[in-house]
Amino acid sequence: MTSPILRVIDTETTSLEGGVCEIASVDIVDGQICNPMSDFVKPPEPITIGAMALHHITNEDVASAPPIDEVIDRYLGADVYVAHNAKFDRSKLPQITAPWICTMKLARKLWPELESHGNQYLRYHLQVNANVPDGLHAHRALYDCYVTAANLIRINKEARFTVAQMRDITNRPSLLHAMPFGKHKGVPFEEWIRKDHRYVTWCLENLTDEEDVQFTIKHHLQPGG
């Protein structure tokens, strides 16, 4: 049976809410990273200064680039797509209708008590050699693809997940160990949730887009949670 093509994909954007200004991918085939691709994309709005400070892509870099609809076809056709925080990249690439795997959710499942589940944090915590080609740097799409792919290979050496298991973990809310932001950032949920009832109520009423936070709070509010 032919192994499925896992396509690790990443986007850089004009802002958190904005459009794509760079797309890249690498494939994982039989445990090997191959077929790197990357393109600048002309976004629907200017790149913000905050985004430039992160990925160092300027409006001049993408001024003559094609729109996403002219480059997306060459990224289609994989069996499964992989991203770190797949919810974000999936929202930017509605053209991709294949299943997704989220390496952040896999890492949260395996190592819930880590200080961070960020891509670079995992790379160094797990002592992963990402073998990133020269000339690339963090927060550029192709660089991040190499790191995500190497992290996924390392995760599966530890867990031996099947593709079906990884998809199932991706499609479920994550049970978080510590609050990821706000006044209790870094504090385990079980330490603050029974003491700060007002903040619990505020989170449940206002953080409706934070699926994992909502899920974790409700878990700890249950008897025996």
Side-chain angles (χ1 to χ4, degrees):
M1 182 180 295
T2 305
S3 299
I5 295 175
L6 302 181
R7 181 154 294 160
V8 180
I9 201 160
D10 187 72
T11 58
E12 301 300 333
T13 60
T14 61
S15 67
L16 283 176
E17 299 79 21
V20 175
C21 59
E22 186 181 39
I23 183 173
S25 71
V26 297
D27 292 347
I28 302 176
V29 180
D30 296 325
Q32 300 298 313
I33 300 172
C34 59
N35 191 29
M37 300 188 290
S38 65
D39 287 283
F40 278 141
V41 173
K42 188 170 185 177
E45 67 280 317
I47 303 170
T48 63
I49 299 297
M52 287 185 208
L54 188 66
H55 51 53
H56 307 296
I57 300 170
T58 68
N59 289 304
E60 290 75 16
D61 290 331
V62 298
S64 59
I68 187 67
D69 288 343
E70 292 185 15
V71 301
I72 191 62
D73 282 357
R74 75 192 197 106
Y75 293 89
L76 304 180
D79 299 297
V80 182
Y81 286 80
V82 180
H84 195 77
N85 191 12
K87 179 180 177 181
F88 178 82
D89 294 286
R90 190 173 193 169
S91 72
K92 303 300 179 182
L93 299 171
Q95 303 91 337
I96 296 174
T97 57
W100 286 74
I101 289 169
C102 179
T103 52
M104 183 172 69
K105 287 201 169 187
L106 300 183
R108 284 174 172 172
K109 181 75 171 178
L110 286 175
W111 304 289
E113 296 185 12
L114 285 185
E115 176 185 344
S116 170
H117 295 91
N119 217 20
Q120 293 294 339
Y121 186 96
L122 289 172
R123 174 190 183 182
Y124 291 108
H125 176 79
L126 300 175
Q127 299 181 328
V128 166
N129 183 357
N131 292 313
V132 179
D134 292 340
L136 298 176
H137 60 77
H139 301 298
R140 285 294 299 273
L142 188 55
Y143 180 104
D144 288 352
C145 285
Y146 274 99
V147 173
T148 301
N151 284 343
L152 179 60
I153 291 169
R154 173 65 177 80
I155 284 169
N156 270 337
K157 285 183 179 178
E158 179 85 17
R160 302 293 182 181
F161 287 134
T162 65
V163 170
Q165 288 171 326
M166 291 189 287
R167 288 179 57 190
D168 183 62
I169 293 168
T170 296
N171 290 331
R172 294 176 181 269
S174 293
L175 189 64
L176 305 178
H177 174 67
M179 188 65 177
F181 50 77
K183 67 177 182 177
H184 295 301
K185 181 178 180 180
V187 180
F189 276 80
E190 62 184 0
E191 288 185 18
W192 68 265
I193 202 167
R194 301 190 190 281
K195 300 176 183 178
D196 195 342
H197 300 289
R198 182 174 296 179
Y199 191 58
V200 168
T201 300
W202 185 89
C203 289
L204 292 174
E205 291 178 351
N206 293 277
L207 301 181
T208 54
D209 291 337
E210 296 291 340
E211 178 186 49
D212 297 332
V213 171
Q214 295 264 328
F215 177 74
T216 304
I217 290 174
K218 291 173 183 177
H219 169 81
H220 284 286
L221 290 177
Q222 293 174 357

